[in-house]
Amino acid sequence: MSGLVPARIFKIMIVLAAAFGVAEARLAWVQLGGGGGRTEGAVAGLSQQAYMQHSDPLELDGGRGQFTDREGLPLTGRTVRVLAAYPTGGMPRGTDGRLRALAETLGARPEQVAGWLDGIREPLVWRKGRSGPAVALTEAQEKRIGELELTGVAVVPYVERYRNPAESGMNALHAIGYTAQDPSRMVKLYSKELAKGKAKTSDPIGEAGLELSLDRLLRGVGGTFAVATTDGARRPLAGIGIRISGPANPHYPLQVRTTIDSRVQQAAEAVLKKHGIKEGAVVILDADSADILGMVSLPAFDPSKIGAAGTDSRNHALIAVPPGSIFKTVTLAAALEAGVTTLDEIFRCIGTYGRYGLNCWLHGGHGVLTVKEAYAESCNVVFAALAERLDPAVLAETADKLGLGRQIGWQTASFVDGKPLRLLAEEQPGAVFASPDAGKDGGVRTGTGIGQRDVRVTPLQAANLAVTLLHGGRVQSPRIAREIRYADGGLLASMPERGAPSEFGSIKPATAAALREAMRAVVTEGTAGHALGANEWPLAGKSGTAELAGKRPALNEQWFIGYGPAKGRPRYAVSVLLENRKAGARNAAPAVFGDLMDALRLMEQAESGPPVRS
Ligand SMILES: [Zn+2]
């Protein structure tokens, strides 16, 4: 029989097709089981070929572009072997014994599998639950299913877009996002393609993350399908097989190389889990390039069950929330730049500011202390006083110079297709004052100076603030993707490292150095001493706690931003945001930061081999 190709050869053909995307090779045959019910059409002589038909196609891969981490490890689009079943037009698939053996091989109840097979009206793959992910088969399962020779049942290569967290050891990535069917958005965004028949309203469309921001580039040129050859009554022809065909264009699907480091991402997830964190975000930036190495948002989400209870597909790393005392970094920068204080100026904190109902967090006050000590101890009274010395416009401009109150994620006015692109589509700009005039009010100004009132900062901005200080005040634009390549390796587009300068200029390198000195003091003598003082890497940073207005019971946001190692060449800048924490509880963010820095240090040591004893 001409159409029958030995199993080993078709596997090789699929591998060739996948590896080289060669047009002629992107066609392969899978043997369809032929045990049960041979029919008159099964013996396909030349004269009968005219009567052959095809089943509906089963989509194995939509052809949408895929994502890898910074080292090229796939983050989406793993090819797995799955069970596919085609309608048989009432033809029996095999003996009861063989169907039971199939159920046993799949680890399912026989009636469940029989019910599934009986109900098939279009080709389907075997899934976890009704709409869950396709079940990946082991080699042993595949071999066993082949031996059963059931009619209209085959094992086919299937591209699983999102990794199963249980198998990958990593949650779904908010940075990648997800796709869904969304006909109204398809009509809105792709009316031309729909009119030309190049898209269908049922096509998946990016709803969040890079799936959303890069959607127009990811769409590809068509899917890969498995079609069964059938007789005139559309019953599968035993022994004829399933034809797998993909688009002839060797450039697709595209591949997006992100800046995510899978190990860093996993380390951050593990640390948050260890601390029992349910809600919040962690951002880890490369201290040199501001590349996003890890970005965790909790609660996690499941791309196949968007909106399920206890999940959240919003990326909390890009949502602006009250920063609390980490904003004292901006107030200090503004006061130093304006020349209204120095790190050595001496203040006295008696626990209350005496106006606007503003108190220090330390009952009874800090007593006599310098500005540097006030930053290390996070004294509200001193920072309220500094804020009152400042023109509110200067405070807002300094925030802008430090990359706050505006979108800083990588963007361009004209990408490779001539259209604007913002990689982090959901990034919120945050704010300093609710309105330009708000800062005229002393209560607003002092509250703003300690990160309360209307100040809003995203975890991404907070981590990038640390990078900015390490760069002497130069604001970098964090990237989440570096380049887009064709399937055959050629470069389609790159996203080069880019700055995100403020229209107001930048702070002086001397101011950045003073802020780094103050951040180091937070760990050596200040609020984070107990949590971070004993870490092997010298660390620097700033803690913060922000009261959430109107929450009953009272809830806080807990923050830490910082970098490490604080001596030599810093490698990582990190923000930790723990959300909706019980008011009055100890800020756990410094400990999360410390454990994460430890994990990153161990990761680097493992990379460079065991330390040499001297
Ligand atoms: Zn104080």
Side-chain angles (χ1 to χ4, degrees), residues 431-447:
V432 178
F433 293 108
S435 71
D437 285 343
K440 287 179 181 162
D441 179 273
V444 171
R445 201 151 78 242
T446 49

Side-chain angles (χ1 to χ4, degrees), residues 38 42 67 71 79 84 124 175 184 365 394 411 442 470 493 537 552:
R38 282 178 183 268
F67 298 94
E71 306 293 339
T79 299
L124 291 179
S184 62
V394 168
Q411 57 186 303
L470 289 169
W537 263 358
R552 288 283 175 276

Side-chain angles (χ1 to χ4, degrees), residues 90-110:
M91 213 160 79
R93 293 186 186 270
T95 64
D96 287 351
R98 286 180 184 219
L99 286 169
R100 268 200 306 279
L102 174 66
E104 195 181 303
T105 308
L106 295 171
R109 286 178 291 110

Side-chain angles (χ1 to χ4, degrees), residues 348-352 359-362 364-367 369 374 377-382:
R348 185 182 172 86
C349 166
I350 56 164
T352 174
N359 295 314
C360 195
W361 63 269
L362 187 66
H366 286 99
L369 74 178
E377 289 291 336
S378 207
C379 175
N380 288 343
V381 167
V382 172

Side-chain angles (χ1 to χ4, degrees), residues 5 49 52 54 65 86 124 154-155 169 192 213 221 231 288 290 335 359 364 380 396 398 449 498 507 539 555 608 611:
V5 180
Q49 295 226 342
M52 282 189 194
H54 295 111
Y86 289 77
L124 291 179
V155 174
K192 270 190 212 151
S213 59
V221 293
D231 66 13
D288 286 335
N359 295 314
N380 288 343
T398 305
R498 197 162 271 187
I507 63 165
L539 301 172
L555 296 174
S608 56

Side-chain angles (χ1 to χ4, degrees), residues 196-234:
K196 284 186 205 153
K198 285 183 175 171
K200 300 189 297 292
T201 52
S202 60
D203 286 347
I205 184 168
E207 295 279 320
L210 285 170
E211 295 274 32
L212 170 67
S213 59
L214 292 175
D215 190 73
R216 65 185 200 248
L217 296 154
L218 293 171
R219 301 192 53 77
V221 293
T224 298
F225 298 91
V227 179
T229 309
T230 67
D231 66 13
R234 306 198 84 191

